[in-house]
């Protein structure tokens, strides 16, 4: 007897991915609150901005995710007034313009 295949909904996949990301972010937060010197802190912050082994870093990846959510929100806003998308675009700007550029 074989088990029926389990179908995961999109929301289930997103929830699982958010859980994985949350655990990873907790580890980074733990490392940032540890006893580190200025050089090590600078190296960690550089990794957040520009991960060497892959294109982009954490901040650019988060900005891309939030931008995608904002664009999707624009499509479903009833009056296209920016109630949902505007705060998301502002969050993206904070990640890329402020946090990202200041780290450089």
């Amino acid at each position: 007897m074989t088990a029926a295949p389990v179908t995961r909904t999109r929301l289930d996949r997103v929830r699982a991915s958010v859980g994985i990301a949350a655990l990873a972010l907790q580890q980074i937060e733990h490392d940032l609150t540890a006893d580190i010197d200025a050089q090590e802190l600078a190296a960690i912050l550089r990794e957040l901005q520009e991960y060497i082994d892959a294109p982009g870093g954490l901040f650019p990846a988060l900005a891309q995710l939030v931008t995608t959510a904002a664009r999707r929100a624009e499509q479903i806003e009833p009056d296209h007034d920016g109630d949902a998308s505007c705060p998301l675009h502002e969050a993206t700007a904070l990640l890329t313009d402020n946090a990202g550029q200041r780290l450089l």
Side-chain angles (χ1 to χ4, degrees), residues 70 72-88:
R72 189 65 181 125
E74 288 170 354
Q75 295 173 348
I76 62 172
E77 289 171 334
D79 298 327
H80 299 288
D81 54 7
D83 280 349
S85 60
C86 187
L88 294 170

Side-chain angles (χ1 to χ4, degrees), residues 59-77:
F59 291 154
L62 288 173
Q64 181 179 345
L65 174 66
V66 176
T67 296
T68 301
R71 288 183 181 147
R72 189 65 181 125
E74 288 170 354
Q75 295 173 348
I76 62 172
E77 289 171 334

Side-chain angles (χ1 to χ4, degrees), residues 30-75:
H30 174 75
D31 290 336
L32 284 170
T33 58
D35 186 22
I36 58 176
D37 61 20
Q39 275 187 320
E40 192 173 17
L41 175 59
I44 291 171
L45 293 176
R46 273 192 303 276
E47 285 296 314
L48 294 177
Q49 176 56 26
E50 188 176 301
Y51 182 55
I52 302 304
D53 295 334
L58 177 64
F59 291 154
L62 288 173
Q64 181 179 345
L65 174 66
V66 176
T67 296
T68 301
R71 288 183 181 147
R72 189 65 181 125
E74 288 170 354
Q75 295 173 348

Side-chain angles (χ1 to χ4, degrees), residues 12 25 32 37 79 90 101:
D12 290 335
L25 292 173
L32 284 170
D37 61 20
D79 298 327
E90 289 174 0
Q101 294 306 313

